[in-house]
Amino acid sequence: MVLKDPDNAPKDLQQFHTKKHYNKKQVSHAAKANIADEVLQILSMVNDQDSVNEVVYTQDNSKPPSIICYTSEQIADIKTHLQADPSTVLSVDRTFNLGSVFVTNFVYKNKKVISKSTRDHPIFIGPVFFHWNGSMETYHTFFSHFQARILTEVQCFDVKLGSDDEGGLTVALDSVLSKPDRLLCTKHIKDNVTNYIKNKQPVTSSQRSQIMSDIFNVNGIETADDTKSYELCNSFPCFANYYEIRLKNRLFNYVNQPYRKYDSNRLWTNNNCESMNHRFKVALNWKPDQLPELLDKIYNVIQLHHTDLRRSKVGNGNYELFGYFKKHRIQHSKWHCLSQIEKEVLYRNKHN
């Protein structure tokens, strides 16, 4: 500043520090005011928006409240799938880069319909959680809410929950949801092991390939009995400590046992969540957004899915009825003769 304009520059360093301190105070006051306004705006959503079901605001929090969102239609559809289809896996994952807030949500394959374009069951969204950190306590709030609304009514059925190996999320799942089977994404486990042996193990590239083959190939440790793990540790003693402490329990409890229990034809991955994360970013045009706008855009994605589910009854939309549900197809002319109440009753009876 002195070099550029010596006549109008600060007279000394102290004047500069005083100005800097004053500016910080102004920014701090403005931030508090903005947060207070945002808190009020978010709290009002509980009454103004059907999808906002709970707002969580903790003591001494410098961030806006966290929000749990879903519609009654979403909850009803998830319950139907959990009760009717024992193979249903509810996947959960946290999405980054949608804005300053994290977005964690459940997804599942909707077996009532298939996509006209892909000929596969479409991925549907469950409850969505907008939050500001990844602590166990934060996830515990979300999963406790989820358990009270859904799992308490389907507890007599097998419920399978799948996720990545995120620390706070998985600890919260184990703490809140003790009965459901939990699966870990084998792709993420494989990526973590690859990164570890590549960067932290004194082994050759051929030895790395052998370790990965022993664990992840057909009839590897992921799907075989426990004798394979002894063979691996004996062959690669330098890898044994990492395997015993970090990897063994994860592979057997959350990959191997579910695979063997359900006689699966493939190992589980969290690809459905990854696909939905991509869908969210497309809806935002790949630009991070503020919380209210972000909530609206994700809600629009959810509404579109369920609107197309309704339209499939008369053959319209992006989906068509599948399997058992084909018998619920209604002629377009007949559907339009019904009142809105009759349509709603018929839709709920036929899809539950």
Side-chain angles (χ1 to χ4, degrees), residues 32 82 84 130 142 151-152 165 182 195 213 238 244 249 256 275 284 310 331 350:
K32 289 180 179 178
L82 293 179
F130 300 85
F142 179 43
L151 293 186
T152 52
D165 195 14
R182 183 160 70 77
N195 181 66
S213 177
C238 60
E244 290 291 337
N249 286 339
N256 185 294
S275 296
L284 270 67
R310 288 172 174 268
Q331 291 296 324
K350 297 297 187 182

Side-chain angles (χ1 to χ4, degrees), residues 129-142:
F129 187 37
F130 300 85
H131 57 107
W132 304 93
N133 64 63
S135 69
M136 189 279 280
E137 293 83 1
T138 297
Y139 284 120
H140 195 284
T141 298
F142 179 43

Side-chain angles (χ1 to χ4, degrees), residues 175-195:
S175 176
V176 176
L177 308 168
S178 56
K179 288 186 178 180
D181 292 327
R182 183 160 70 77
L183 297 85
L184 284 177
C185 176
T186 52
K187 179 183 181 301
H188 284 81
I189 293 178
K190 187 174 182 179
D191 290 344
N192 290 339
V193 175
T194 300
N195 181 66

Side-chain angles (χ1 to χ4, degrees), residues 116-127:
K116 291 180 178 178
S117 58
T118 66
R119 311 308 297 174
D120 191 10
H121 299 295
I123 302 169
F124 268 48
I125 308 165

Side-chain angles (χ1 to χ4, degrees), residues 73 302-312 316 319:
E73 195 168 16
I302 295 170
Q303 287 294 92
L304 178 61
H305 289 172
H306 283 272
T307 299
D308 267 342
L309 182 62
R310 288 172 174 268
R311 297 175 72 201
S312 67
N316 291 336
Y319 310 141

Side-chain angles (χ1 to χ4, degrees), residues 231-242:
E231 297 172 6
L232 174 68
C233 293
N234 287 334
S235 301
F236 302 97
C238 60
F239 183 72
N241 189 54
Y242 170 82

Side-chain angles (χ1 to χ4, degrees), residues 276-306:
M276 191 52 61
N277 294 348
H278 176 80
R279 178 69 183 84
F280 287 162
K281 291 172 182 176
V282 170
L284 270 67
N285 197 27
W286 299 93
K287 297 177 181 178
D289 220 331
Q290 296 299 312
L291 180 54
E293 291 76 19
L294 175 61
L295 190 152
D296 286 340
K297 290 176 181 177
I298 290 181
Y299 178 68
N300 287 340
V301 174
I302 295 170
Q303 287 294 92
L304 178 61
H305 289 172
H306 283 272

Side-chain angles (χ1 to χ4, degrees), residues 113-224:
V113 291
I114 57 172
S115 169
K116 291 180 178 178
S117 58
T118 66
R119 311 308 297 174
D120 191 10
H121 299 295
I123 302 169
F124 268 48
I125 308 165
V128 183
F129 187 37
F130 300 85
H131 57 107
W132 304 93
N133 64 63
S135 69
M136 189 279 280
E137 293 83 1
T138 297
Y139 284 120
H140 195 284
T141 298
F142 179 43
F143 297 144
S144 296
H145 184 106
F146 172 77
Q147 181 191 43
R149 272 67 178 183
I150 297 181
L151 293 186
T152 52
E153 295 190 21
V154 292
Q155 56 187 343
C156 58
F157 300 91
D158 287 333
V159 177
K160 296 188 283 296
L161 298 169
S163 71
D164 300 342
D165 195 14
E166 183 183 341
L169 186 149
T170 54
V171 171
L173 277 176
D174 286 342
S175 176
V176 176
L177 308 168
S178 56
K179 288 186 178 180
D181 292 327
R182 183 160 70 77
L183 297 85
L184 284 177
C185 176
T186 52
K187 179 183 181 301
H188 284 81
I189 293 178
K190 187 174 182 179
D191 290 344
N192 290 339
V193 175
T194 300
N195 181 66
Y196 178 80
I197 60 177
K198 183 177 181 180
N199 298 315
K200 298 184 179 181
Q201 286 288 296
V203 295
T204 65
S205 58
S206 62
Q207 289 174 323
R208 287 199 300 267
S209 297
Q210 186 61 51
I211 291 173
M212 297 301 293
S213 177
D214 287 348
I215 298 174
F216 298 105
N217 276 8
V218 177
N219 297 323
I221 292 175
E222 277 194 320
T223 58

